Short mmCIF file of all heavy atoms in Angstrom, two decimals:
data_model
loop_
_atom_site.label_atom_id
_atom_site.label_comp_id
_atom_site.label_asym_id
_atom_site.label_seq_id
_atom_site.Cartn_x
_atom_site.Cartn_y
_atom_site.Cartn_z
N GLY A 413 -100.97 87.04 53.47
CA GLY A 413 -102.00 88.02 53.17
C GLY A 413 -102.49 87.88 51.74
O GLY A 413 -102.24 86.88 51.06
N SER A 414 -103.21 88.88 51.26
CA SER A 414 -103.72 88.91 49.89
C SER A 414 -102.92 89.91 49.08
O SER A 414 -102.71 91.05 49.52
CB SER A 414 -105.21 89.30 49.88
OG SER A 414 -105.67 89.48 48.55
N TRP A 415 -102.48 89.50 47.89
CA TRP A 415 -101.70 90.37 47.00
C TRP A 415 -102.45 90.55 45.68
O TRP A 415 -103.00 89.60 45.12
CB TRP A 415 -100.33 89.77 46.72
CG TRP A 415 -99.39 89.87 47.89
CD1 TRP A 415 -99.26 88.99 48.92
CD2 TRP A 415 -98.45 90.91 48.14
NE1 TRP A 415 -98.31 89.41 49.81
CE2 TRP A 415 -97.78 90.59 49.35
CE3 TRP A 415 -98.09 92.08 47.48
CZ2 TRP A 415 -96.80 91.41 49.90
CZ3 TRP A 415 -97.11 92.89 48.01
CH2 TRP A 415 -96.47 92.56 49.22
N GLU A 416 -102.44 91.81 45.20
CA GLU A 416 -103.14 92.15 43.96
C GLU A 416 -102.30 93.10 43.14
O GLU A 416 -101.65 94.01 43.67
CB GLU A 416 -104.49 92.81 44.30
CG GLU A 416 -105.30 93.27 43.10
CD GLU A 416 -106.52 94.06 43.52
OE1 GLU A 416 -106.37 95.23 43.95
OE2 GLU A 416 -107.63 93.50 43.43
N ILE A 417 -102.29 92.91 41.83
CA ILE A 417 -101.63 93.84 40.91
C ILE A 417 -102.65 94.28 39.87
O ILE A 417 -103.65 93.58 39.62
CB ILE A 417 -100.40 93.22 40.23
CG1 ILE A 417 -100.79 91.96 39.44
CG2 ILE A 417 -99.31 92.93 41.24
CD1 ILE A 417 -99.64 91.39 38.61
N GLY A 418 -102.43 95.45 39.27
CA GLY A 418 -103.39 95.93 38.28
C GLY A 418 -102.85 97.03 37.41
O GLY A 418 -101.83 97.66 37.71
N ILE A 419 -103.55 97.27 36.30
CA ILE A 419 -103.25 98.36 35.39
C ILE A 419 -104.56 99.03 34.99
O ILE A 419 -105.59 98.35 34.82
CB ILE A 419 -102.49 97.87 34.14
CG1 ILE A 419 -102.15 99.06 33.21
CG2 ILE A 419 -103.27 96.79 33.40
CD1 ILE A 419 -101.23 98.69 32.08
N ARG A 420 -104.52 100.36 34.88
CA ARG A 420 -105.70 101.12 34.47
C ARG A 420 -105.30 102.16 33.43
O ARG A 420 -104.29 102.85 33.59
CB ARG A 420 -106.35 101.81 35.67
CG ARG A 420 -107.59 102.62 35.30
CD ARG A 420 -108.28 103.17 36.53
NE ARG A 420 -107.47 104.18 37.22
CZ ARG A 420 -107.71 104.63 38.45
NH1 ARG A 420 -108.74 104.13 39.13
NH2 ARG A 420 -106.93 105.54 39.01
N LYS A 421 -106.10 102.27 32.38
CA LYS A 421 -105.94 103.29 31.36
C LYS A 421 -107.19 104.17 31.39
O LYS A 421 -108.32 103.66 31.34
CB LYS A 421 -105.80 102.67 29.98
CG LYS A 421 -104.53 101.86 29.76
CD LYS A 421 -103.38 102.77 29.34
CE LYS A 421 -102.18 101.96 28.87
NZ LYS A 421 -101.08 102.83 28.41
N SER A 422 -107.00 105.47 31.46
CA SER A 422 -108.16 106.37 31.47
C SER A 422 -107.93 107.56 30.55
O SER A 422 -106.78 107.89 30.21
CB SER A 422 -108.45 106.86 32.90
OG SER A 422 -107.38 107.60 33.41
N GLU A 423 -109.04 108.19 30.17
CA GLU A 423 -108.96 109.33 29.24
C GLU A 423 -110.01 110.37 29.59
O GLU A 423 -111.17 110.03 29.88
CB GLU A 423 -109.15 108.84 27.80
CG GLU A 423 -109.03 109.95 26.76
CD GLU A 423 -109.10 109.41 25.33
OE1 GLU A 423 -108.11 108.82 24.87
OE2 GLU A 423 -110.17 109.57 24.70
N TRP A 424 -109.59 111.61 29.55
CA TRP A 424 -110.48 112.76 29.75
C TRP A 424 -110.54 113.52 28.43
O TRP A 424 -109.51 113.97 27.93
CB TRP A 424 -109.92 113.65 30.86
CG TRP A 424 -110.52 115.01 31.00
CD1 TRP A 424 -110.13 116.15 30.37
CD2 TRP A 424 -111.61 115.39 31.84
NE1 TRP A 424 -110.90 117.21 30.76
CE2 TRP A 424 -111.83 116.77 31.66
CE3 TRP A 424 -112.43 114.69 32.72
CZ2 TRP A 424 -112.81 117.46 32.33
CZ3 TRP A 424 -113.42 115.39 33.39
CH2 TRP A 424 -113.61 116.76 33.21
N ASP A 425 -111.73 113.66 27.86
CA ASP A 425 -111.89 114.30 26.56
C ASP A 425 -112.84 115.48 26.69
O ASP A 425 -114.06 115.30 26.83
CB ASP A 425 -112.43 113.29 25.55
CG ASP A 425 -112.49 113.85 24.12
OD1 ASP A 425 -112.29 115.06 23.95
OD2 ASP A 425 -112.75 113.05 23.20
N ALA A 426 -112.27 116.69 26.65
CA ALA A 426 -113.07 117.91 26.76
C ALA A 426 -112.97 118.74 25.49
O ALA A 426 -113.15 119.96 25.51
CB ALA A 426 -112.61 118.73 27.97
N GLN A 427 -112.71 118.08 24.36
CA GLN A 427 -112.54 118.81 23.10
C GLN A 427 -113.83 119.46 22.62
O GLN A 427 -113.80 120.40 21.82
CB GLN A 427 -111.99 117.85 22.04
CG GLN A 427 -110.61 117.32 22.39
CD GLN A 427 -110.10 116.29 21.39
OE1 GLN A 427 -109.40 116.64 20.42
NE2 GLN A 427 -110.45 115.03 21.61
N GLU A 428 -114.98 118.94 23.12
CA GLU A 428 -116.27 119.54 22.76
C GLU A 428 -116.91 120.27 23.93
O GLU A 428 -118.11 120.52 23.94
CB GLU A 428 -117.22 118.45 22.25
CG GLU A 428 -116.77 117.75 20.98
CD GLU A 428 -116.66 118.73 19.81
OE1 GLU A 428 -117.55 119.61 19.69
OE2 GLU A 428 -115.68 118.63 19.05
N ALA A 429 -116.10 120.62 24.93
CA ALA A 429 -116.65 121.31 26.10
C ALA A 429 -117.13 122.72 25.77
O ALA A 429 -118.15 123.19 26.31
CB ALA A 429 -115.59 121.38 27.20
N ALA A 430 -116.41 123.40 24.92
CA ALA A 430 -116.79 124.76 24.53
C ALA A 430 -116.52 124.92 23.03
O ALA A 430 -115.57 125.59 22.62
CB ALA A 430 -115.99 125.78 25.33
#
Side-chain angles (χ1 to χ4, degrees):
S414 174
W415 286 87
E416 177 187 73
I417 59 174
I419 181 171
R420 180 174 67 194
K421 294 275 191 178
S422 62
E423 182 175 285
W424 167 271
D425 186 350
Q427 296 176 92
E428 296 299 319

